[in-house]
Amino acid sequence: MKLSPKDALAKLDQHEAPFLHLFKHGTLSVEIYKPEGMDKQQPHSRDEIYVIISGYGEFINGKVKTTFSAGDFLFVPARTKHRFENFSEDFSTWVIFYGPEGGEESED
C-alpha cells in the first residue's frame, strides 16, 4: 500500500470536506487534511498523529502552543482539544488515528 501527498490531495480536491479518509487497517485509519482559513475540528475519541506534508503555522495541543512546518510529527492524546492556527495557504497534513476509543494508556 502506498499513499502519496500528490495523489491524496488530488482526491481531496474532488471532495467537499477539508479531510478525506484514505486507508483503514484494524484500528489504524489514515486521512488527509487541508483546512482553508480556519481549523474547525473538535477533539477526537482516539489517539491521533499528524505528519505535516506542507506549510507552516501554529498548533495548539491542550494547553501547549507550538509552531509546526513540513515534516513535523505531532501527537494528540484522545479527547484533547487541539487546532491549527495561523497556517499558510499550502498547509496540509496526514492524519493518523489508532488504538481504542478513549486512547491508549500513557507510559509517562
Side-chain angles (χ1 to χ4, degrees):
M1 170 54 158
K2 176 184 175 183
L3 296 172
S4 74
K6 181 180 177 182
D7 292 344
L9 288 166
K11 288 180 183 179
L12 182 61
D13 282 344
Q14 304 303 313
H15 191 69
E16 291 184 24
F19 66 91
L20 180 64
H21 174 81
L22 297 167
F23 178 76
K24 182 165 178 50
H25 179 78
T27 67
L28 176 70
S29 177
V30 178
E31 299 178 355
I32 186 130
Y33 183 52
K34 184 174 178 31
E36 292 188 18
M38 186 164 64
D39 179 5
K40 300 177 184 177
Q41 67 178 314
Q42 299 295 313
H44 306 287
S45 62
R46 298 186 336 164
D47 291 333
E48 180 177 15
I49 296 167
Y50 293 99
V51 179
I52 308 303
I53 295 170
S54 61
Y56 58 89
E58 298 172 326
F59 185 64
I60 297 176
N61 188 355
K63 295 180 181 180
V64 177
K65 184 174 189 175
T66 188
T67 59
F68 70 85
S69 61
D72 286 349
F73 172 101
L74 305 168
F75 171 73
V76 181
R79 298 188 178 115
T80 300
K81 190 173 183 178
H82 63 283
R83 69 182 176 279
F84 294 94
E85 293 187 332
N86 304 314
F87 48 85
S88 58
E89 288 185 23
D90 65 337
F91 166 59
S92 64
T93 186
W94 294 115
V95 183
I96 303 162
F97 293 102
Y98 69 95
E101 293 291 323
E104 294 187 344
E105 298 228 3
S106 175
E107 294 183 13
D108 293 341

